[in-house]
Amino acid sequence: MGEGPALPDPFRLIDLIETDSTNEEAKRWLRHAPSGDDDRITVIWARSQRAGKGRRGRTWVSEPGNLFCSLVVKPGCPAAVAVQLGFVTANAVAATLASKLPPGRAVTCKWPNDVLIEGRKAAGLLLEAEAGLDRLIIGIGVNLAHYPEKTEFPATCLAQEGGGDVPAGDFLASLCGDFLAGFLAWRNSGFTPVRRAWIERAHGLGAPVAVRLERETLHGTFKTLDGDGALILEQGGRERLITAGDVFPVAPSQG
């Protein structure tokens, strides 16, 4: 592959023409990863992806020109805490998108791991851990030039929203800088500043939502995040903690 983007320390770039899934590529790399460089963050970047993965077994549509990458990070904490890096990453993706868009475009974070432009999905994350390994894989897909149509939740891309033609490598370089800033803040100060930044961009905060779980759908108001990143759903004065699910906005009923 040709020369890839220059990434700041401590990132290591693995630049691929094509792969099945950058998360799967990251798992294969981990099985043979070099030792002695635990502080490095490895970035698996593919120009083309044949079998992109989304949450809950969904397929991530991977049109050439968009960004598909995975970060391999050593969190240095239990897995239950490491999932907070999903919010670190969402904040970074949102900041990078906002920096490429015209002023006034709304970039928001949709719980648990999507990033929206003007209420339409522009990016998604998939966190995975390999059994027996102390690394977290953070898969990132960003719609830069293309987006899927006729999706359950409306989608968009950076170019469609006025961001112009941003090469995936340039976006990746900016994203790594934003991720590193958030990662260091999280490592040094915990989840509080990360949570605060995410809530400032939270999509649907204080509004009616439907939360689709595996076996039921709940309705209520998205009140806030708890101290670990779970969604607090308010239902008739009671609060319910949601740790996994899909969230959809609900139009207020007409009186």
Side-chain angles (χ1 to χ4, degrees), residues 2-116:
E3 185 178 352
L7 303 184
D9 287 335
F11 292 92
R12 172 205 291 114
L13 176 65
I14 298 176
D15 183 357
L16 305 172
I17 297 174
E18 183 183 65
T19 189
D20 50 356
S21 153
T22 59
N23 268 27
E24 291 303 310
E25 191 73 41
K27 292 175 188 178
R28 291 190 288 268
W29 179 84
L30 267 175
R31 295 179 195 126
H32 307 284
S35 59
D37 54 4
D38 289 348
D39 291 334
R40 302 295 298 277
I41 299 173
T42 299
V43 181
I44 312 287
W45 174 40
R47 313 301 175 93
S48 177
Q49 199 175 225
R50 298 185 304 275
K53 297 166 58 180
R55 290 178 63 244
R56 299 192 169 192
R58 301 185 185 103
T59 297
W60 183 267
V61 178
S62 304
E63 292 283 351
N66 289 347
L67 175 66
F68 330 110
C69 68
S70 296
L71 309 183
V72 183
V73 183
K74 183 177 182 180
C77 62
V81 178
V83 296
Q84 295 172 0
L85 285 174
F87 296 92
V88 171
T89 311
N91 287 342
V93 171
T96 307
L97 281 171
S99 73
K100 310 294 184 185
L101 286 164
R105 288 287 195 273
V107 180
T108 54
C109 295
K110 176 176 172 288
W111 191 90
N113 57 5
D114 293 334
V115 182
L116 317 180

Side-chain angles (χ1 to χ4, degrees), residues 161-221:
E161 301 297 334
D165 181 16
V166 178
D170 292 354
F171 191 93
L172 177 59
S174 297
L175 174 59
C176 285
D178 287 327
F179 175 83
L180 183 59
F183 178 70
L184 293 175
W186 172 79
R187 194 168 64 180
N188 294 330
S189 304
F191 188 52
T192 298
V194 176
R195 175 181 176 273
R196 184 185 308 116
W198 192 95
I199 287 175
E200 287 176 357
R201 292 189 183 273
H203 181 76
L205 187 67
V209 294
V211 182
R212 187 180 299 166
L213 308 179
E214 190 171 345
R215 293 185 175 83
E216 63 178 327
T217 297
L218 305 176
H219 291 82
T221 299

Side-chain angles (χ1 to χ4, degrees), residues 148-152:
E149 298 182 359
K150 298 180 180 179
T151 53
E152 183 177 19

